């Protein structure tokens, strides 16, 4: 029979000192967590080929591959990009703390370790990581291709779907590098540095498809949330027609509504009046059995994204 017990948090402890390992493993087990153990950076990478922890405790200084290099390599893999890494270090200079954060760590704690402080930090970062992961999965499940960039056009986070789209644009791309694919750098910077009016966007053309970039309001100061929409206009119009039973013009209107365009913008794109756009929308609502623009958009996105 399936167990009703909650899943145990899995913590990977990377440390080359036996006494430190023993203390950490015993502490984590007593707190109801499962401890995974690696005694080197190389061993940590090998373990991650078979298991994914919820959080990593990483010793900064180890023979061979140190914790900084191991964390850089871990964060290059999209599968582990969201796993928080807490550095454990006996180094006391400010540049060592900076190096821990710059190399992918989310926090650091100095040795000798104060157990209560370590456990408090673990709990906070586990909760934050779970909330962030759930939020991204929710946006991803809704078919949202969202990328947050700072004023310099560097990526601060993105949904999994957006990450896959960026990887198609530039094979080998990964979020940890924080650099956008070259073709998107200038348009993303333009959006981040200039507040584009609602309903306006920038189109970037590629051989097999286009990408429509539009700013979305972001609550975090210094970051701009940008929606990426893959545009395969002819194929998507046909898909909406076949799946929902729309006329071609209705499918065109719904497609542009799903791209976040206003009635006025759609009228300019299609060469019809805003009033005609609204009439088509009313017909679309009736055929879809919905009452709002948002509901129609959600249905269209689900159909287009498969």
């Amino acid at each position: 029979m399936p167990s009703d017990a909650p899943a145990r948090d899995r913590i990977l402890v990377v440390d080359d000192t036996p006494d430190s390992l023993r203390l950490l493993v015993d502490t984590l087990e007593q707190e109801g967590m499962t401890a995974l153990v690696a005694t080197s950076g190389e061993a940590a990478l090998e373990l991650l080929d078979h298991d994914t922890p919820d959080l990593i405790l990483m010793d900064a200084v180890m023979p061979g591959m140190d914790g900084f290099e191991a964390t850089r390599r871990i964060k290059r893999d999209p599968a582990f990009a969201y796993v928080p890494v807490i550095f454990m270090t006996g180094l006391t200079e400010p540049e060592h703390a900076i190096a821990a954060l710059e190399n992918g760590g989310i926090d650091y704690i100095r040795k000798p370790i104060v157990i209560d402080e370590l456990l408090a930090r673990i709990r906070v970062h586990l909760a934050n990581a779970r909330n962030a992961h759930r939020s991204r999965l929710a946006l991803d499940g809704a078919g949202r291709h969202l990328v947050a960039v700072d004023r310099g056009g560097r990526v601060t986070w993105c949904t999994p779907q957006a990450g896959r789209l960026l990887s198609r644009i530039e094979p080998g791309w990964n979020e940890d590098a924080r650099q956008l694919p070259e073709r998107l750098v200038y348009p993303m910077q333009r959006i981040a540095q200039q507040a584009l009016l609602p309903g306006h966007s920038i189109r970037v053309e590629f051989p097999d498809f286009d990408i429509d970039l539009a700013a979305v309001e972001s609550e975090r100061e210094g970051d701009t949330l940008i929606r990426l929409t893959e545009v395969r206009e002819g194929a998507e119009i046909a898909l909406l027609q076949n799946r929902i039973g729309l006329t071609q013009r209705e499918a065109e209107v719904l497609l542009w509504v799903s791209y976040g365009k206003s009635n006025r913008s759609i009228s300019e794109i299609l060469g019809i009046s805003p009033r005609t756009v609204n009439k088509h929308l009313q017909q679309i609502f009736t055929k879809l059995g919905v009452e709002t623009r948002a509901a129609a958009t959600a249905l269209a996105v689900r159909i287009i994204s498969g």
Side-chain angles (χ1 to χ4, degrees):
M1 293 178 62
S3 173
D4 292 331
R8 291 163 61 101
D9 291 314
R10 300 164 62 78
I11 313 298
L12 171 58
V13 184
V14 187
D15 199 318
D16 66 317
T17 306
D19 289 343
S20 180
L21 269 179
R22 189 176 305 111
L23 171 64
L24 291 168
V25 169
D26 289 346
T27 298
L28 294 171
E29 295 287 348
Q30 288 171 12
E31 292 297 314
M33 303 177 192
T34 297
L36 309 173
V37 173
T39 56
S40 67
E42 294 88 348
L45 296 178
E46 184 176 347
L47 186 148
L48 290 174
D49 286 337
H50 310 285
D51 214 333
T52 301
D54 298 297
L55 182 142
I56 300 173
L57 296 177
M58 179 71 72
D59 189 15
V61 180
M62 295 179 288
M65 184 188 298
D66 64 19
F68 301 127
E69 175 62 22
T71 301
R72 280 197 299 273
R73 296 196 185 188
I74 290 169
K75 291 296 181 176
R76 288 191 197 123
D77 189 331
F80 307 115
Y82 309 120
V83 177
V85 176
I86 300 177
F87 274 94
M88 304 175 294
T89 176
L91 305 173
T92 58
E93 297 300 322
E95 57 264 29
H96 298 140
I98 293 171
L101 300 176
E102 287 183 340
N103 283 283
I106 198 169
D107 202 352
Y108 67 94
I109 189 165
R110 299 194 187 282
K111 293 183 177 181
I113 292 171
V114 178
I115 292 299
D116 288 343
E117 179 186 358
L118 176 64
L119 290 174
R121 291 175 186 262
I122 288 175
R123 293 190 186 101
V124 166
H125 291 304
L126 280 173
N128 289 342
R130 274 193 292 266
N131 289 337
H133 188 57
R134 286 169 183 161
S135 297
R136 294 189 189 195
L137 287 179
L139 289 168
D140 200 51
R144 304 305 298 271
H145 296 67
L146 298 174
V147 177
V149 298
D150 61 20
R151 290 192 180 95
R154 291 178 294 272
V155 176
T156 57
W157 71 269
C158 67
T159 61
Q161 278 203 24
R164 289 191 287 273
L165 180 56
L166 294 175
S167 295
R168 284 170 50 205
I169 293 171
E170 185 174 294
W173 180 90
N174 71 86
E175 181 183 351
D176 189 54
R178 298 192 66 199
Q179 300 299 319
L180 288 162
E182 187 176 352
R183 288 285 306 280
L184 296 181
V185 172
Y186 174 72
M188 286 281 206
Q189 286 177 340
R190 183 180 164 197
I191 291 177
Q193 294 168 2
Q194 304 173 16
L196 295 183
L197 296 174
H200 286 69
S201 60
I202 295 176
R203 179 70 64 88
V204 183
E205 297 181 356
F206 293 92
D208 298 325
F209 56 87
D210 296 345
I211 298 293
D212 200 65
L213 308 175
V216 179
E217 184 176 355
S218 178
E219 295 181 356
R220 181 177 174 182
E221 185 177 356
D223 275 4
T224 301
L225 196 59
I226 298 175
R227 182 178 64 244
L228 283 67
T229 304
E230 181 181 351
V231 180
R232 296 177 183 268
E233 195 172 329
E236 291 172 347
I237 289 171
L239 185 61
L240 292 173
Q241 284 183 266
N242 295 333
R243 290 288 299 276
I244 310 176
L246 303 179
T247 67
Q248 179 170 342
R249 183 62 86 189
E250 288 168 349
E252 290 170 349
V253 169
L254 180 56
L255 179 65
W256 289 107
V257 166
S258 74
Y259 292 163
K261 300 296 186 182
S262 66
N263 282 14
R264 181 167 295 279
S265 295
I266 295 171
S267 73
E268 293 171 356
I269 293 168
L270 299 180
I272 56 180
S273 70
R275 184 175 179 181
T276 301
V277 172
N278 191 58
K279 287 182 178 179
H280 284 306
L281 272 177
Q282 295 306 315
Q283 291 297 319
I284 291 167
F285 291 170
T286 300
K287 290 183 178 181
L288 269 58
V290 300
E291 298 181 355
T292 66
R293 193 184 191 95
T297 296
L299 182 56
V301 168
R302 285 199 296 273
I303 291 171
I304 292 169
S305 64

